[in-house]
């Protein structure tokens, strides 16, 4: 009698008809509940944070404060959407904050010198496209590591912004009242930046889920060599994601200068760190190939609500930076632990 038959007979004698090498029976309903809880964990974090904020200060749920939170979420969220594309390919873009500043200065410079709103907007978009394209070329053709390439572009863009403005804010001039609608206006009570963020996030989610380019982004981040062998144009994909990141950073810069009606060369300072924190907190893997725009949206809300709560509690900006850093590190560690368990 074979060993397998002996094992089967032994199991039957013990009153267990299941072969010894068969997987244990699990409750599919229980598995579904666990999966839903895991997928919605970040949403529960946001809800818990809102409850804490409501208990900690009576000013959190006021209408004015909710509008502030929504506007801030939109500003950082748009940049974070672009960062999501880059990180999904296992890259990084440290230049987005400086692009916001350079765009703000470029737009305000055009308006202050009478070039008109159309020209100013075109100049802002051109800044984002140019920086994004240079990042894409540097990473693809020159083979410069994304961290180094975008760090260099961050320094260049910030230097250009300071040079153009002589280190001083530039007012938008006579076009201020009309131009300010983009950043400070509303439609049926909904702030315009929030509507722009909704369109950007919706379009990004559609692209990543339903288009061949979106599938290419995930494939490149998961295994670049395998993606190349399967016929995916890896270099083109990487180039486009950096252009997207630059373009969305420029859009944020336009909203920023429109809201304040002044272009500050230091606008967007450290925004790249906030964007990275948002993407990581939202569940996108820093190692590429895993993540969703929905997670980025919730991550943006978490970071904004946390910052708003700390502001309402009069916590210093220096301490807030420490807290954000700890959160990013904790999110990365949690991701590594989850991946380790998933592979076991």
């Amino acid at each position: 009698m074979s060993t397998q038959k002996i094992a089967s007979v032994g199991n039957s004698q013990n009153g267990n008809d299941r072969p010894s090498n068969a997987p244990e029976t699990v409750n599919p309903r229980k598995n579904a509940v666990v999966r839903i809880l895991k997928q919605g964990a970040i949403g529960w974090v946001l809800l818990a944070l809102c409850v804490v904020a409501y208990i900690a200060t009576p000013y959190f749920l006021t209408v004015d404060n909710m509008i502030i939170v929504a506007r801030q979420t939109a500003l950082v969220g748009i940049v974070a959407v672009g960062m999501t594309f880059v990180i999904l390919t296992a890259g990084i873009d440290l230049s987005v904050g400086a692009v916001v500043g350079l765009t703000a200065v470029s737009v305000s410079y055009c308006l202050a010198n009478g070039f008109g709103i159309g020209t100013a907007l075109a100049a802002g978009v051109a800044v984002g496209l140019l920086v994004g394209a240079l990042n894409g070329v540097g990473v693809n053709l020159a083979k410069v590591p994304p961290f180094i390439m975008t760090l260099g572009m961050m320094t260049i863009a910030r230097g250009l912004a300071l040079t153009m403005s002589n280190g001083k804010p530039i007012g938008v001039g006579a076009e201020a009242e009309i131009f300010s609608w983009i950043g400070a206006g509303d439609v049926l009570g909904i702030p315009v930046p929030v509507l722009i963020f909704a369109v950007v996030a919706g379009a990004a989610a559609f692209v990543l889920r339903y288009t061949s380019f979106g599938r290419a982004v995930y494939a490149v981040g998961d295994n670049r060599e395998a993606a190349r062998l399967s016929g995916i144009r890896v270099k083109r994909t990487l180039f486009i994601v950096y252009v997207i990141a630059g373009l969305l950073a420029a859009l944020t810069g336009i909203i920023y200068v429109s809201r304040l009606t002044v272009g500050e060369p230091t606008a967007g300072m450290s925004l790249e760190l906030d964007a990275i924190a948002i993407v990581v907190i939202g569940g996108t893997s820093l190692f590429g190939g895993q993540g969703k725009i929905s997670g980025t949206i919730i991550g943006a809300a978490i970071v904004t609500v946390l910052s708003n709560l700390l502001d309402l509690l009069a916590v210093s900006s220096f301490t807030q930076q420490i807290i954000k850093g700890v959160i990013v590190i904790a999110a990365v560690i949690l991701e590594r632990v989850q991946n380790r368990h998933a592979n076991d």
Side-chain angles (χ1 to χ4, degrees):
M1 185 180 292
S2 66
T3 305
Q4 184 176 1
K5 290 183 178 179
I6 293 174
S8 178
V9 171
N11 289 333
S12 297
Q13 291 175 347
N14 290 332
N16 184 4
D17 293 331
R18 181 179 58 83
S20 59
N21 60 345
E24 294 184 6
T25 303
V26 294
N27 187 338
R29 183 176 299 177
K30 181 179 179 181
N31 269 0
V33 172
V34 171
R35 185 168 62 251
I36 292 172
L37 288 175
K38 286 183 177 180
Q39 292 176 346
I42 186 174
W44 291 109
V45 171
L46 175 59
L47 179 60
L49 182 59
C50 290
V51 171
V52 170
Y54 172 72
I55 295 173
T57 171
Y59 302 106
F60 177 72
L61 281 182
T62 61
V63 175
D64 289 342
N65 190 60
M66 286 295 96
I67 292 176
I68 292 173
V69 170
R71 289 184 185 276
Q72 290 297 327
T73 300
L75 282 172
V76 298
I78 293 172
V79 176
V81 168
M83 187 68 76
T84 302
F85 276 88
V86 174
I87 292 181
L88 280 173
T89 63
I92 200 76
D93 190 346
L94 300 178
S95 66
V96 291
V99 170
V100 171
L102 181 57
T103 300
V105 168
S106 300
V107 170
S108 58
Y109 179 87
C110 289
L111 291 174
N113 288 276
F115 285 100
I117 294 178
T119 302
L121 293 177
V125 170
V127 166
L129 292 175
L130 178 60
V131 175
L134 290 174
N135 282 331
V137 170
V139 170
N140 279 298
L141 298 183
K143 303 298 181 182
V144 181
F147 181 89
I148 301 300
M149 183 65 207
T150 58
L151 178 63
M153 287 306 302
M154 176 185 73
T155 306
I156 293 170
R158 188 67 70 185
L160 284 173
L162 291 168
T163 300
M164 289 177 60
S165 63
N166 290 320
K168 300 176 182 179
I170 301 176
V172 299
E175 302 285 359
E177 185 175 350
I178 300 174
F179 184 66
S180 64
W181 182 83
I182 299 174
D186 64 83
V187 177
L188 299 177
I190 303 175
V192 173
V194 175
L195 295 176
I196 295 174
F197 178 40
V199 172
V200 168
F206 177 85
V207 167
L208 287 176
R209 184 165 185 174
Y210 296 108
T211 68
S212 58
F213 172 73
R215 290 188 288 273
V217 170
Y218 282 106
V220 170
D222 187 55
N223 190 318
R224 189 169 299 183
E225 182 60 20
R228 185 186 67 80
L229 293 175
S230 65
I232 292 175
R233 300 175 67 176
V234 174
K235 290 184 177 181
R236 185 183 71 171
T237 302
L238 290 174
F239 177 82
I240 293 175
V241 297
Y242 283 100
V243 171
I244 290 173
L247 177 61
L248 293 183
L251 178 58
T252 301
I254 292 171
I255 297 173
Y256 183 92
V257 69
S258 171
R259 181 183 177 187
L260 300 180
T261 65
V262 63
E264 297 183 359
T266 57
M269 189 75 73
S270 299
L271 185 57
E272 63 278 353
L273 301 181
D274 286 340
I276 294 171
I278 287 168
V279 174
V280 173
I281 291 171
T284 298
S285 173
L286 282 171
F287 307 99
Q290 179 181 343
K292 294 181 179 180
I293 295 297
S294 58
T296 298
I297 295 171
I298 299 176
I302 288 176
V303 170
T304 305
V305 169
L306 178 61
S307 296
N308 181 258
L309 173 60
L310 295 175
D311 286 338
L312 292 175
L313 296 178
V315 177
S316 73
S317 59
F318 307 118
T319 304
Q320 291 188 32
Q321 291 297 320
I322 297 173
I323 295 173
K324 288 180 182 178
V326 170
I327 290 175
V328 173
I329 294 173
V332 174
I333 293 174
L334 179 60
E335 177 203 347
R336 297 298 297 271
V337 172
Q338 289 177 337
N339 289 339
R340 188 179 299 115
H341 286 307
N343 294 328
D344 289 342

